[in-house]
Amino acid sequence: MRYASIPFNHNQSGWPAGDNCYASYPMLRGEMRADWVIVGAGFTGLAFARRLAEIDPGLNIIVVDAHRSSESSSARNSGFVIGLPHNIGSSTAELKKANAYRNLLQEGISQLEQVISQHNIQCDWENVGKYHCQVEQGNDHILNEYTRNLDLMDEPYQTLDNDALYQKLGTKFYSKGIFTPGCVLVNPAQLMTALSHCLPNNIQLFDNTPVLGIRYGDHAEVLTPFGVIKTAKVMLATNALSPELLPGISRQAAMATFASITDPLTDQQLATLPPMKSWGLTPVNAIAGATFRFTSDRRFLIRQHVIPALKGKVDAAQTYQATQLHQRLFNKVYPTLNGVKIAHTWSGTISVTRNGAPVWGRLNKFVCTAGGCNGAGISKQTVAGSLLADMMMNQDNPLIAEMRSLGQANFMPPSPALDIGIACSLFKERYLGRKEI
């Protein structure tokens, strides 16, 4: 039997852990039985599990993760809980289905708000909106399409020039930007860890339990290093990681992105900037450009650099290279803060599809999945997971139609054609966005 690859980041997340200390869950050992097994304890998997348990509290549900929730790709992201669609790279595919995406994303935010309120989760949840900015002057076609769709959706926004952006962001690096209020900023590691520790009683979670394969017969057998789970149904919440677990045609690929966070600014360093509150910024080209955040504890976060990670593995040399890149970029964007140093650099894995559509639904009589996050995961994958549970449990939810309207991800060829295609796509995006860094 061919065993599935196990994702591995040769680095640790730099998000502050906060005051709450949670013990890790045990590793699965021995033979177990379950009505449902969910592979992956990220936003998608936990949303699916919560909704299953809500629909039928009598179900025996097991969630397994290759590591810990606090170290998962979900916990390593940039912490944007987005309520409005925007372009991904140079692609504006999401904007063509803007109303469906908006309804889904805002439902995802609503679901998270409900859980956070119910369990009093502390995760630096801040409803402060976001800036979508460009560096290059005059080349406004992406921002113009963005504002056209905001007008069609009757969504509020504010256009800001270089001077106005400086007052908000403390840098003159950007020529133009669009501010929209429909975004929440969060510490994703704190949120992810808390979500994994406030699950309903009929859900068991096992950490450090990678799935090596799935055998099929009268039932499914989920194979782990020290145990087996016999189950009627399996939900894969792994995005493109461990592609060997995904039956059928390949439609998504794993990419690694890198983030860095600085030391907190001193009073003297802060005094060189205009007065600022927490803010988040996404670039017009998310592949070539840089995502920035200024946090409530006076830190800057930089997310920039995307590389292929088809087996989900990132080594120390790649992390070091990203650290050097991020420090140079930070010094360029904030030249008055040359004394500010990067404290941590880490990687996380996203799943990309060729046409921006998700991989969502039933794969065979045993397995279903919700993947293809395309780098915008917290609200999108929360609602994708909960709606998949509704569909699998035959619940009547009008948002299922909205989810299906997004279409399905296009076919991806196997390696080495896939490797060549990804390299060409990254080269194209970096060329198109070369002036954004």
Side-chain angles (χ1 to χ4, degrees), residues 150-276:
L150 290 172
D151 288 333
L152 288 172
M153 292 186 290
D154 197 28
E155 286 287 342
Y157 65 90
Q158 182 183 4
T159 302
L160 300 101
D161 62 13
N162 176 265
D163 290 336
L165 287 171
Y166 172 73
Q167 296 301 320
K168 300 292 186 180
L169 311 175
T171 176
K172 290 185 175 292
F173 190 66
Y174 299 97
S175 66
K176 188 176 182 179
I178 305 295
F179 174 78
T180 52
C183 179
V184 174
L185 300 180
V186 69
N187 179 319
Q190 291 179 14
L191 174 58
M192 195 69 259
T193 304
L195 289 176
S196 70
H197 283 80
C198 62
L199 296 170
N201 292 332
N202 59 326
I203 300 174
Q204 297 180 79
L205 198 157
F206 294 93
D207 285 333
N208 301 307
T209 305
V211 172
L212 304 177
I214 303 173
R215 284 197 298 244
Y216 301 104
D218 294 335
H219 53 260
E221 292 188 348
V222 179
L223 311 178
T224 76
F226 299 103
V228 177
I229 314 168
K230 295 182 178 181
T231 182
K233 299 291 181 182
V234 179
M235 188 273 188
L236 296 179
T238 56
N239 264 311
L241 294 175
S242 299
E244 299 87 353
L245 299 178
L246 290 161
I249 295 172
S250 174
R251 299 183 183 274
Q252 56 187 328
M255 310 289 284
T257 66
F258 293 83
S260 292
I261 198 164
T262 68
D263 290 322
L265 268 62
T266 64
D267 289 342
Q268 293 80 5
Q269 290 165 337
L270 199 63
T272 67
L273 304 173
M276 296 191 307

Side-chain angles (χ1 to χ4, degrees), residues 285-300:
N285 188 312
I287 303 298
T291 295
F292 269 83
R293 278 188 58 182
F294 184 66
T295 65
S296 58
D297 62 347
R298 299 178 166 188
R299 300 173 188 265
F300 283 96

Side-chain angles (χ1 to χ4, degrees), residues 7 25 48 64 68 155 161 168 186 192 220 238 243 249 260 314 319-320 356 374 410-411 427:
Y25 285 102
F48 184 86
V64 295
R68 293 181 61 185
E155 286 287 342
D161 62 13
K168 300 292 186 180
V186 69
M192 195 69 259
T238 56
I249 295 172
S260 292
V314 175
T319 304
Y320 173 77
N374 287 294
N410 289 342
F411 163 75
F427 178 83

Side-chain angles (χ1 to χ4, degrees), residues 24-38:
S24 62
Y25 285 102
M27 179 187 296
L28 186 144
R29 295 181 182 275
E31 184 175 302
M32 303 188 73
R33 291 183 178 272
D35 297 307
W36 276 94
V37 172
I38 298 156

Side-chain angles (χ1 to χ4, degrees), residues 72-122:
S72 68
S73 288
S74 289
R76 290 168 170 262
N77 71 31
S78 299
F80 287 72
V81 191
I82 293 173
L84 292 171
H86 60 256
N87 58 292
I88 299 170
S90 62
S91 169
T92 56
E94 277 201 5
L95 297 179
K96 301 183 191 312
K97 298 181 182 295
N99 278 311
Y101 271 111
R102 175 182 60 177
N103 295 339
L104 292 165
L105 294 172
Q106 293 181 357
E107 171 63 18
I109 293 176
S110 177
Q111 290 180 13
L112 286 169
E113 285 179 324
Q114 183 176 352
V115 178
I116 287 168
S117 175
Q118 179 182 354
H119 296 280
N120 192 29
I121 293 174
Q122 303 302 309

